[in-house]
Amino acid sequence: MSDPTPDLTRTTAADLAAALAAGETTSVALTQAHLDRIAAVDGSVDAGGHAFLHVDTDPTRRAHAAAEHLLDRHGVVTRGAVASERIPGGKTNMDEFAMGSSTEHSAYGPTRNPWDLERIPGGFAAVYKVLAAFEDSGRCRRGYFVSGLGAAQFGTVGAIDRLRTFSEPATGPDAASTGGSDAEVVSVALAATDPANPYGAALPWPERSSGEDGSVGGAGHRPGRKAGALVVIVDGRLVLYVERGGKTLLTFSDDPELLGLAARSLADAAGRGALGRMTVEKADGEPLLGSGTTPLRTALTEAGFVSTPRGLRLHSGPGRR
C-alpha cells in the first residue's frame, strides 16, 4: 500500500505531474511543501555550502556583480552590450533628490523587475555608475575603442590590448578582411540572441535591398534577435541570417569568398551537433532551387548541402551526408 502522505520534496517530477493531473495534490500544496522544507533545513546545512541558493538583495553588490559579468562576457561594454543582455530600463525607487541613485529607498528597499526579479532595474544608466567607479579604481578603462558604438565604452585591459592587435580592414562593401592583412579570417555561427552577436543591439542590422515594407526581398523577411534564428559573421561582418527552422536564409553579401566561409561555418556547426537537420528552401524571399546557379547555392553545395526536391539539405552530426 502506498504512503498516503508522500514527501512531495522527494517525489520525481514525473510522479508530481501525474499526481497533479489526478487531483491527488495541488500546486499550492506542492509549493508549500518545498517552502516548509527550506525553512526546516536551510539554517542547519553546514557542509561547505547551502542546499538552497540565496539571492543577494543588496543593490550595490548586485550592480557590481552585473558590471563584472558584462566585462567578462563582452570585454568592451557599451550601451548596446547592456541591451543585448536584456537588462531593463525602468522607474527607480530612491530617496528624495535621488540620493544614492541605486534604485533603492531606505524605507521601502530596492526596486525589482516584476517580470524577472533577477534582472537589474535602470538599464545602462544603472551599470554606468558602477563601471565609472571601476575605472576610478583601475579595474577597467573608459575610451572610444570601437568606432560607431557610442562614446561610453568600458573595457578590460586585456580586451583593449587585444583590440589593438588587429589591423585596419580592407575598404569596400564586400571586401574580406584578408585583403591587406595576413591575419586568419574568423567565421562563426551564433544564435541571433547571443550577446556575442552585436547586430540588432550594439550595431544596427546591415542595409540590404528591401521591399516596400522594408523587408528583405519584399517577402516579409526581416532579421531580428529572435529565438531559434542564427547569424553567421565573417570577421565581424554579417553575411548570413538563418531564420528559425532553417528553411529561409537572408544574405548580406554577394561575395563568393564570404559566402563560402559562412556556409562552411553552418556546416561545421551541424557537424558538431549544434544544428538539427536543416533544408534551405528560400533565400532572400526567392526559391533557392528555382534561381539557377548563384554564389549562395554554390557556397552551400561546396559546404556539404545536398539537393532535394524541397531545397538544399544538411544533416547534423559527424556522419552527415
Side-chain angles (χ1 to χ4, degrees), residues 61-75 77 127 130-131 134 139 156:
R61 288 196 294 268
R62 289 170 65 89
H64 277 240
E68 290 176 346
H69 165 77
L70 289 167
L71 286 169
D72 289 341
R73 190 177 184 94
H74 295 274
V77 178
V127 179
V130 179
L131 291 172
F134 281 4
R139 297 173 69 178
T156 62

Side-chain angles (χ1 to χ4, degrees), residues 3-318:
D3 185 351
T5 57
D7 185 350
L8 296 177
T9 64
R10 297 179 180 275
T11 305
T12 66
D15 288 342
L16 287 175
L20 287 168
E24 297 172 0
T25 187
T26 65
S27 58
V28 173
L30 176 59
T31 302
Q32 190 60 54
H34 284 82
L35 291 175
D36 291 344
R37 176 64 178 171
I38 291 173
V41 304
D42 194 27
S44 303
V45 176
D46 189 18
H50 289 283
F52 303 98
L53 210 58
H54 291 275
V55 176
D56 193 336
T57 59
D58 182 88
T60 301
R61 288 196 294 268
R62 289 170 65 89
H64 277 240
E68 290 176 346
H69 165 77
L70 289 167
L71 286 169
D72 289 341
R73 190 177 184 94
H74 295 274
V76 174
V77 178
T78 65
R79 185 180 298 274
V82 176
S84 72
E85 295 277 358
R86 300 173 64 193
I87 297 177
K91 293 183 178 180
T92 57
N93 178 27
M94 299 174 287
D95 293 307
E96 62 178 333
F97 308 122
M99 295 175 63
S101 64
S102 62
T103 73
E104 179 184 24
H105 193 282
S106 56
Y108 304 110
T111 304
R112 293 279 183 255
N113 180 338
W115 301 109
D116 188 341
L117 300 180
E118 293 303 304
R119 293 185 186 170
I120 302 168
F124 184 68
V127 179
Y128 180 91
K129 178 184 177 182
V130 179
L131 291 172
F134 281 4
E135 179 197 15
D136 292 340
S137 64
R139 297 173 69 178
C140 72
R141 297 177 184 173
R142 173 167 32 185
Y144 191 62
F145 308 118
V146 182
S147 176
L149 298 189
Q153 300 181 27
F154 296 86
T156 62
V157 174
I160 296 168
D161 289 344
R162 175 66 172 162
L163 283 174
R164 288 171 176 162
T165 65
F166 291 96
S167 61
E168 290 294 327
T171 59
D174 282 331
S177 58
T178 50
S181 174
D182 294 331
E184 181 182 358
V185 177
V186 177
S187 178
V188 61
L190 299 170
T193 55
D194 194 312
N197 168 32
Y199 294 101
L203 298 176
W205 294 102
E207 294 292 332
R208 188 64 171 152
S209 58
S210 60
E212 294 181 359
D213 62 350
S215 60
V216 176
H221 300 289
R222 300 184 183 186
R225 299 181 71 88
K226 306 171 186 176
L230 299 173
V231 293
V232 185
I233 299 173
V234 181
D235 262 16
R237 187 176 189 278
L238 180 63
V239 177
L240 292 179
Y241 178 88
V242 185
E243 295 194 347
R244 182 175 182 175
K247 294 182 179 181
T248 301
L249 299 183
L250 302 180
T251 64
F252 292 86
S253 174
D254 296 323
D255 183 88
E257 182 180 357
L258 292 178
L259 289 172
L261 291 168
R264 286 195 290 274
S265 289
L266 278 181
D268 290 342
R272 296 192 302 270
L275 302 176
R277 186 178 67 181
M278 62 182 295
T279 301
V280 183
E281 300 178 7
K282 291 185 177 182
D284 301 324
E286 300 295 332
L288 185 61
L289 296 184
S291 54
T293 301
T294 64
L296 175 62
R297 183 172 178 178
T298 300
L300 293 175
T301 301
E302 292 178 350
F305 285 74
V306 296
S307 182
T308 71
R310 298 179 60 185
L312 294 183
R313 175 178 297 174
L314 181 70
H315 292 273
S316 65

